Amino acid sequence: MAADKAAASTEREPFIYFATTDPFLAPGQKPTRNDVTLFGGPFTTDTAGGALSIFGADYTSNYIIGVTYGRDVFDLGAGFLLGGVAGVAIRFGEDDDTSGEIWGGVRLKHQGLVIGDIVISPAFTAGLSAVTGETEIEKEREARYDGDASFIGFLGPELSVRWRGAPNLELTWQLHHRSGGGGTFGDMGETSNANTIGIRYRF
């Protein structure tokens, strides 16, 4: 009998699979819908494509530290969730005057790939970003495009990792990307990129 139960459990939850619901929920437990993330990281001189090469990017001595609040609003099925994110941050460093940033956007994420007691989840945020002052890289690119980087687009591709033993905590990586979207916002193109690491609490 015990062997049959173990076999059934294994069949219900393979070692590796794509989750369509939160894989770490206890029986009868409702899924979390809110999250708060503390994050920080260095800016790069690269465009977004170069910055995605995390270990090969050309990092500056300038940094961003911030916090975001996110909420999942719609369950789209097949493991996809649609919601929103808002964030605030401080930007500072060796070359830059201290400035503030505020942004908000729509977030699409997936429950993720489960590997044993670990789940790796992708997400993507798209929205708008405003700053109190531009970084030196942004000023250089304003001159190049003859644009204004104070209010432009925001994109945030992301990966997060959770462990079954602490299901409400996540370790996150996100590319913090500000861009004019080919002149759509502020007559700007590529503007600034920072690779960030964060700790997220889900509730």
Side-chain angles (χ1 to χ4, degrees), residues 40-198:
F43 283 97
T44 80
T45 62
D46 303 275
T47 61
L52 286 172
S53 178
I54 299 173
F55 298 106
D58 182 17
Y59 291 104
T60 71
S61 296
N62 307 293
Y63 306 90
I64 182 171
I65 294 176
V67 60
T68 66
Y69 166 72
R71 181 173 174 83
D72 300 325
V73 180
F74 301 108
D75 187 335
L76 304 179
F80 289 96
L81 299 167
L82 184 67
V85 178
V88 294
I90 295 174
R91 304 158 0 133
F92 61 96
E94 185 176 287
D95 305 315
D96 297 334
D97 295 331
T98 299
S99 62
E101 180 181 357
I102 183 170
W103 68 97
V106 176
R107 179 177 68 186
L108 177 67
K109 70 179 185 180
H110 192 268
Q111 297 285 5
L113 176 65
V114 181
I115 307 175
D117 290 333
I118 299 293
V119 61
I120 303 170
S121 303
F124 188 84
T125 301
L128 297 171
S129 164
V131 295
T132 61
E134 290 83 353
T135 66
E136 289 303 311
I137 290 175
E138 290 171 341
K139 290 175 183 177
E140 292 173 5
R141 290 173 177 167
E142 281 181 326
R144 180 190 308 171
Y145 294 111
D146 191 23
D148 180 2
S150 61
F151 181 70
I152 56 175
F154 170 83
L155 298 176
E158 174 191 304
L159 286 175
S160 63
V161 179
R162 279 198 296 156
W163 173 55
R164 191 182 301 273
N168 290 338
L169 294 178
E170 286 182 301
L171 177 66
T172 68
W173 164 83
Q174 185 182 77
L175 177 65
H176 191 90
H177 171 69
R178 302 186 74 237
S179 172
T184 304
F185 304 104
D187 292 324
M188 291 292 296
E190 183 86 27
T191 305
S192 65
N193 297 284
N195 274 313
T196 69
I197 299 295

